[in-house]
Amino acid sequence: MKKLTLTTWLLTLSLGNVWAEDPPAPETDTAAGSNTVQADVPRVMPTPQQTRIAGLIARLSENDSHEIETLNADGTDFLGLFRESESGDPQGCLVMLHGDHGHPDWPQVIQPLREALPIHSWCTLSIEVPDIGGRATPVTITTGENDGAAPEENPTLPNEETVFARIDAAAQLIRDKGYSQVAYMGYRSGAAYALRYTAERGTTNQALILIEPRSFSPVSEFELAQNIERLRLPVLDYYFNRTPQDERFARQRQAAANKRTNRQEAYTQIDALPDARYDPTGNKRLVQRVWGFLKQNINQQSQRKELPEFEKELFYKSPLD
């Protein structure tokens, strides 16, 4: 036992001498080179929107490349998906704005409408809307308290100027393709942009369709709803009453509509919660609601195609024959 203790002590002393030695200093050139390499390594920044759009273009390029349009607003290119009316008597065209972190062929709401409405004499142009913020961006909660700061008289949505310029470019493309009537539709944050656009532009003689509208800071839901009072065109407000917040926001929009001086233009609010399912049945109801609203509230164009001639000889034989 005594011998083991001595051996252990000697081993400890030996290791202690090794640890006490100063470690060899790295060569200056190697260290500098290492630091240089680290500084020169490019950092890969995630670009989720560009990735979504690139994937969408790759998918559509296989069979539907004719739908892809490259538009430009303020010097920046963006994607549009155009579908021609599939009838001989086109009634107009619908500009479609998807929700935040979506794309112009989003499977919920956007895709069913943009594919089905052309069958009912409406062309569709679904455009790319920039993301409001990254997925890791902290959410700003609007409480109504401003800590003494004066509130903005007319707050704007994030990217509002960019989105307005894109809507202008989309409307111009539609006119260039020969369509005289333009309607606007937005889904969630896209509905907020469409509402703000038509209110700010004083749009008339057209139509606005809001699907499950959502607002974003610095524009509160109440402030967004007040834009409805300024509208001068028919509006379909199609929402899903899932929460008390949804119900409160819907009441605010209806109250603003009730204060409009231009009451002859329709404002139709529908709690479509029973239709809020993303399957063929829910999509069919959505298409019927939107198409029916457009048909009832926009001047229908006269038919361009001639009616087939009635050939009597197919059904009538003269007694002289």
Side-chain angles (χ1 to χ4, degrees):
M1 191 70 180
K2 191 174 182 178
K3 182 178 180 181
L4 180 61
T5 302
L6 180 60
T7 302
T8 303
W9 179 81
L10 291 174
L11 179 60
T12 303
L13 180 62
S14 176
L15 291 175
N17 291 335
V18 173
W19 292 338
E21 295 178 1
D22 293 333
E27 296 182 7
T28 304
D29 294 342
T30 304
S34 175
N35 292 336
T36 302
V37 171
Q38 291 295 329
D40 292 343
V41 172
R43 296 188 177 184
V44 178
M45 298 299 291
T47 54
Q49 182 163 24
Q50 288 85 339
T51 301
R52 290 195 306 272
I53 297 301
L56 175 60
I57 292 175
R59 174 171 62 83
L60 293 176
S61 295
E62 298 180 4
N63 299 307
D64 299 304
S65 59
H66 59 281
E67 297 182 4
I68 299 174
E69 297 278 354
T70 301
L71 295 88
N72 185 280
D74 294 335
T76 301
D77 290 342
F78 63 98
L79 175 66
L81 300 181
F82 179 78
R83 278 211 168 195
E84 194 78 58
S85 168
E86 297 179 14
S87 70
D89 54 342
Q91 299 301 310
C93 204
L94 185 67
V95 176
M96 310 177 71
L97 283 70
H98 60 79
D100 193 32
H101 291 96
H103 58 63
D105 195 37
W106 197 248
Q108 298 169 356
V109 175
I110 300 296
Q111 186 184 72
L113 285 173
R114 88 172 194 88
E115 292 183 350
L117 286 177
I119 301 174
H120 301 293
S121 302
W122 279 84
C123 86
T124 58
L125 177 57
S126 182
I127 64 174
E128 176 188 353
V129 179
D131 289 348
I132 290 178
R135 292 193 178 277
T137 303
V139 177
T140 302
I141 305 298
T142 303
T143 63
E145 299 177 0
N146 52 23
D147 298 329
E152 294 185 55
E153 292 185 2
N154 189 20
T156 59
L157 295 166
N159 301 322
E160 183 172 287
E161 185 176 350
T162 298
V163 176
F164 282 13
R166 293 188 178 190
I167 297 175
D168 287 338
Q172 184 58 53
L173 176 64
I174 288 171
R175 288 190 289 268
D176 292 343
K177 289 181 177 291
Y179 292 88
S180 59
Q181 293 199 111
V182 182
Y184 304 93
M185 192 223 80
Y187 173 51
R188 293 195 172 181
S189 60
Y193 287 123
L195 172 54
R196 287 277 304 164
Y197 176 87
T198 51
E200 290 293 317
R201 292 289 196 270
T203 307
T204 59
N205 301 323
Q206 299 173 56
L208 172 64
I209 298 166
L210 309 175
I211 308 293
E212 199 176 0
R214 291 284 185 272
S215 190
F216 289 85
S217 181
V219 181
S220 69
E221 290 182 341
F222 176 79
E223 290 168 330
L224 180 64
Q226 303 317 299
N227 288 273
I228 293 177
E229 185 177 353
R230 299 189 289 155
L231 293 178
R232 302 165 59 193
L233 73 173
V235 182
L236 172 62
D237 184 348
Y238 187 95
Y239 78 104
F240 306 133
N241 189 7
R242 294 189 179 97
T243 67
Q245 180 181 356
D246 294 332
E247 184 177 2
R248 181 178 65 250
F249 188 22
R251 287 201 312 269
Q252 292 168 347
R253 299 194 302 273
Q254 182 66 66
N258 294 340
K259 293 185 289 184
R260 291 192 303 173
T261 57
N262 188 25
R263 296 288 296 277
Q264 65 268 25
E265 298 292 356
Y267 176 83
T268 304
Q269 188 176 81
I270 300 175
D271 176 7
L273 186 59
D275 303 338
R277 48 187 181 180
Y278 305 114
D279 59 14
T281 300
N283 292 340
K284 183 178 180 180
R285 293 289 297 276
L286 172 65
V287 171
Q288 289 175 339
R289 301 270 199 185
V290 172
W291 175 49
F293 178 81
L294 291 173
K295 189 173 182 179
Q296 293 175 8
N297 292 280
I298 286 192
N299 294 329
Q300 299 296 292
Q301 304 292 323
S302 59
Q303 288 188 334
R304 297 180 182 178
K305 60 181 180 180
E306 296 182 359
L307 294 175
E309 294 184 2
F310 182 73
E311 299 181 4
K312 284 186 177 181
E313 60 270 17
L314 295 178
F315 307 97
Y316 173 77
K317 186 174 182 180
S318 172
L320 299 178
D321 293 342

